[in-house]
Amino acid sequence: MAQAIKLSELTSRKRRVEETNNSEEESDINISSTDSEKEDEEAENGTKKEDDGEEIVNIDFDFFSGNPNVDFHALKNLMRQLFGAQESNRIQLSALADLILESPTTTIKTDGQESDPYCFLSFINYKENRKCDYVQYLKKIDNRLSTFFDTIDGNNNKTCALVMSERLINMPPEVVPPLYKITLEDVSNSLGDGKHYDFYIIVSRKYEVNFDMEEDDGESGSRSKKRVKQNEIDYFHEEDRFFEKHSKIHFQSEAKKGVIASYIMIDHEGLVKSIDEFEKEIASW
Amino acid sequence: MATRTQFENSNEIGVFSKLTNTYCLVALGGSENFYSAFEAELGDSIPIAHTTIAGTRIIGRMTAGNRRGLLVPTQTTDQELQHLRNSLPDSVKIQRVEERLSALGNVVCCNDYVALVHPDIDRETEEIISDVLGVEVFRQTISGNILVGSYCSLSNQGGLVHPQTSVQDQEELSSLLQVPLVAGTVNRGSAVVGAGMVVNDYLAVTGLDTTAPELSVIESIFRLQDGNPDSISGNLRDTLIETYS
């Protein structure tokens, strides 16, 4: 992925890798960052095994708020991954990234405040950004979404948030419940009086388990309806399983090269319940 | 005049296009917004050729050229070469270059008078550049970066180099190139200024993410405020040995 990287940082990154390699033998040393900037920063330890099963590398996942100086390009890349190559051309990703950085956002980074986020979650206030390009895009996707938006527009008491959430494919799902809790707290602080959004629109993706990348699009297109029943569908974002269970509306698009875009409309209670159930599920692993 | 545009959601304009004072190349498959950014400013003054190079759309990075000529890599197909020959004015010499470092846009940074090249290119290629483009060739790095075409954006009026270039290097390069230089970024903090934008004597095109301060630096260093082709650039070149930090 094309990223803006400072050339001076490249040499300092290499130095840091050498340092951690040297200290690997003394694996008792914990290299977690000790300077916490905001009260919502949490350090969670994850361990990754190397291929040969002998080495264990300690990775710290630090939670930060969205940082407009550092995160812009990485957020754009993550959103390009979320929407897929085709759909991302139809959305103004730069405008959306700016919107994310203005809204309550939590990012997860492993290399400190100045590095790129590998995961983010953001709640964008729908009513304040009714005219934005992203909302126009959502309205064109399906009638159910545009009807829902029209209903919310007519109702002065109910509020709605557009949920933007994406992460690198190998992020451990254990980070998701704390991520949601922290960001929901941020939202309450920003809305004031412990208020929360009433409804959430979540855009996510799923995949067909047995999709063969080598087959032509034309061939699979005509048989895609049969295929969906035969093919198992699994979730990129494990929490979607619970969201869909408690959602008011959820639907998905046709499979394109084995990837399916999914849309979920869920209310606040449903969201909180889903996160709790997901947490219990994780505890049982 | 400096404008912003995007090629299929990418801000790297210098990858998908090439702009000189006598012609403009753009990659196939872009949206109308991308082409109109060029057509609106260039109009009928210079031809805009839609092409691929070696079947790819990264034409800005594969080719090197100025008002007098265009150099294309070995992998360029005969049809592409013919198409370029048909679309470009006769005064522009087109030459296919047999060079191991085939991404000519990355290894060569040139204007109408002088060229900086990657330190490792062949002697033959250096001679071809000197002949076809009619420039003085210098093997140089941009503050240690050998990909001079990627980290420097150069016109006859000025140059933009990547942000980590030291003042000493800027002075050295400025005296070689005989134009003022400034270190800066494009596309909201990207250091790859050569690939992030294209420029000639009167037009610069950058990505949509370019911030207003970045754009004003570009307009000032390349002297684009006038909007008209600057016919006195030749005379200015002899007197200007300024550096900006």
Side-chain angles (χ1 to χ4, degrees):
Chain A
M1 13 189 231
Q3 291 185 13
I5 302 179
K6 284 194 182 163
L7 294 168
S8 58
E9 267 185 42
L10 278 177
T11 47
S12 66
R13 262 192 209 166
K14 284 185 186 165
R15 239 179 278 134
R16 242 183 286 157
V17 169
E18 282 167 30
E19 281 167 18
T20 55
N21 277 341
N22 287 338
S23 65
E24 232 173 350
E25 289 126 51
E26 317 156 85
S27 54
D28 293 332
I29 293 181
N30 194 342
I31 359 170
S32 55
S33 58
T34 47
D35 53 330
S36 35
E37 307 231 353
K38 305 210 164 237
E39 59 266 346
D40 57 0
E41 186 189 293
E42 217 182 280
E44 199 174 304
N45 262 336
T47 54
K48 290 183 187 170
K49 276 197 180 167
E50 296 288 346
D51 280 354
D52 57 11
E54 293 291 335
E55 292 181 49
I56 297 181
V57 181
N58 279 330
I59 307 282
D60 290 322
F61 294 109
D62 294 323
F63 292 60
F64 295 98
S65 289
N67 186 339
N69 293 331
V70 183
D71 297 338
F72 178 78
H73 293 283
L75 287 179
K76 268 178 68 175
N77 281 331
L78 284 171
M79 281 192 289
R80 214 169 277 138
Q81 178 185 294
L82 176 65
F83 293 115
Q86 256 190 331
E87 289 304 307
S88 11
N89 285 335
R90 301 203 184 117
I91 312 172
Q92 287 172 9
L93 289 180
S94 305
L96 190 48
D98 283 331
L99 209 47
I100 288 177
L101 291 167
E102 287 164 18
S103 314
T105 303
T106 312
T107 59
I108 301 183
K109 307 184 184 183
T110 59
D111 281 321
Q113 174 89 282
E114 299 295 314
S115 67
D116 291 321
Y118 293 149
C119 168
F120 80 96
L121 172 63
S122 180
F123 293 99
I124 299 176
N125 189 334
Y126 163 68
K127 286 201 171 167
E128 277 175 17
N129 300 297
R130 219 172 299 201
K131 309 266 174 182
C132 78
D133 172 74
Y134 180 53
V135 170
Q136 307 306 320
Y137 165 76
L138 285 177
K139 286 187 181 172
K140 286 188 210 149
I141 291 187
D142 194 280
N143 281 337
R144 283 168 276 194
L145 281 177
S146 53
T147 340
F148 169 73
F149 283 134
D150 289 337
T151 328
I152 288 282
D153 282 341
N155 188 328
N156 283 330
N157 296 328
K158 297 287 184 182
T159 55
C160 172
L162 309 172
V163 179
M164 305 297 314
S165 165
E166 182 59 323
R167 50 192 186 262
L168 290 194
I169 197 165
N170 54 354
M171 280 291 283
E174 285 90 329
V175 305
V176 175
L179 188 64
Y180 268 88
K181 289 188 181 163
I182 290 175
T183 321
L184 283 170
E185 247 183 73
D186 276 349
V187 166
S188 304
N189 291 339
S190 76
L191 288 180
D193 288 340
K195 274 194 267 183
H196 54 77
Y197 289 111
D198 298 301
F199 295 104
Y200 302 89
I201 303 275
I202 307 175
V203 177
S204 190
R205 329 176 282 155
K206 301 191 236 186
Y207 61 97
E208 287 177 343
V209 178
N210 296 320
F211 180 77
D212 188 353
M213 276 299 281
E214 285 163 9
E215 286 179 25
D216 221 5
D217 267 13
E219 210 188 297
S220 62
S222 53
R223 292 190 276 160
S224 62
K225 285 189 181 161
K226 281 191 205 164
R227 281 273 178 86
V228 167
K229 289 182 186 166
Q230 289 171 6
N231 268 350
E232 243 186 88
I233 297 182
D234 205 351
Y235 298 87
F236 280 116
H237 294 176
E238 196 55 37
E239 65 271 22
D240 288 348
R241 212 186 286 277
F242 300 90
F243 287 149
E244 283 184 355
K245 210 173 30 158
H246 298 284
S247 65
K248 299 273 179 205
I249 311 170
H250 76 267
F251 58 95
Q252 60 202 44
S253 71
E254 270 178 34
K256 286 180 195 142
K257 297 220 166 144
V259 177
I260 305 166
S262 82
Y263 307 90
I264 300 170
M265 197 279 275
I266 191 172
D267 65 355
H268 181 75
E269 273 180 60
L271 186 81
V272 173
K273 223 191 281 183
S274 312
I275 296 294
D276 284 336
E277 282 184 15
F278 188 33
E279 225 179 344
K280 294 199 184 90
E281 164 92 16
I282 290 175
S284 70
W285 283 350
Chain B
M1 179 69 197
T3 55
R4 299 180 177 110
T5 186
Q6 266 190 340
F7 183 90
E8 274 194 8
N9 244 312
S10 166
N11 284 291
E12 310 298 321
I13 305 302
V15 171
F16 300 102
S17 61
K18 184 119 232 140
L19 180 62
T20 68
N21 287 319
T22 46
Y23 60 89
C24 175
L25 305 180
V26 291
L28 290 176
S31 67
E32 277 315 305
N33 277 341
F34 180 68
Y35 298 128
S36 60
F38 289 94
E39 281 159 15
E41 301 301 324
L42 300 174
D44 287 329
S45 60
I46 61 176
I48 304 177
H50 296 227
T51 182
T52 58
I53 295 284
T56 71
R57 297 190 295 176
I58 50 170
I59 62 176
R61 303 293 88 210
M62 299 294 279
T63 61
N66 63 10
R67 75 178 335 128
R68 294 184 204 95
L70 175 68
L71 300 175
V72 297
T74 330
Q75 300 89 338
T76 316
T77 66
D78 292 331
Q79 293 98 311
E80 288 162 353
L81 208 47
Q82 188 60 41
H83 174 63
L84 284 170
R85 182 66 284 159
N86 292 339
S87 325
L88 267 39
D90 291 334
S91 60
V92 176
K93 290 193 267 183
I94 305 177
Q95 171 95 352
R96 186 155 41 192
V97 176
E98 311 278 321
E99 162 67 54
R100 180 181 63 93
L101 301 170
S102 52
L104 299 174
N106 286 336
V107 302
V108 174
C109 173
C110 64
N111 60 12
D112 294 335
Y113 305 102
V114 74
L116 297 179
V117 297
H118 189 296
D120 295 336
I121 64 164
D122 300 337
R123 286 286 296 133
E124 265 183 58
T125 312
E126 194 182 321
E127 282 166 23
I128 295 175
I129 295 174
S130 173
D131 277 334
V132 173
L133 301 184
V135 293
E136 226 180 315
V137 181
F138 298 103
R139 285 172 191 262
Q140 259 288 0
T141 63
I142 313 270
S143 216
N145 266 298
I146 49 181
L147 293 178
V148 290
S150 310
Y151 290 102
C152 171
S153 190
L154 190 61
S155 83
N156 296 325
Q157 262 95 292
L160 180 66
V161 290
H162 77 75
Q164 264 68 46
T165 314
S166 62
V167 177
Q168 209 182 359
D169 288 327
Q170 278 177 55
E171 281 176 13
E172 193 185 323
L173 285 169
S174 186
S175 64
L176 266 182
L177 299 171
Q178 296 280 290
V179 291
L181 293 183
V182 73
T185 63
V186 77
N187 295 332
R188 197 151 167 173
S190 168
V192 195
V193 292
M197 60 176 283
V198 290
V199 64
N200 70 4
D201 281 347
Y202 51 91
L203 172 67
V205 185
T206 70
L208 266 184
D209 282 345
T210 311
T211 61
E214 286 173 342
L215 212 57
S216 68
V217 167
I218 288 169
E219 281 189 340
S220 85
I221 193 66
F222 292 114
R223 301 191 185 278
L224 298 171
Q225 297 93 329
D226 302 336
N228 294 318
D230 195 352
S231 54
I232 60 170
S233 63
N235 296 336
L236 267 180
R237 185 181 72 87
D238 294 323
T239 56
L240 271 173
I241 311 180
E242 275 172 75
T243 57
Y244 296 81
S245 56

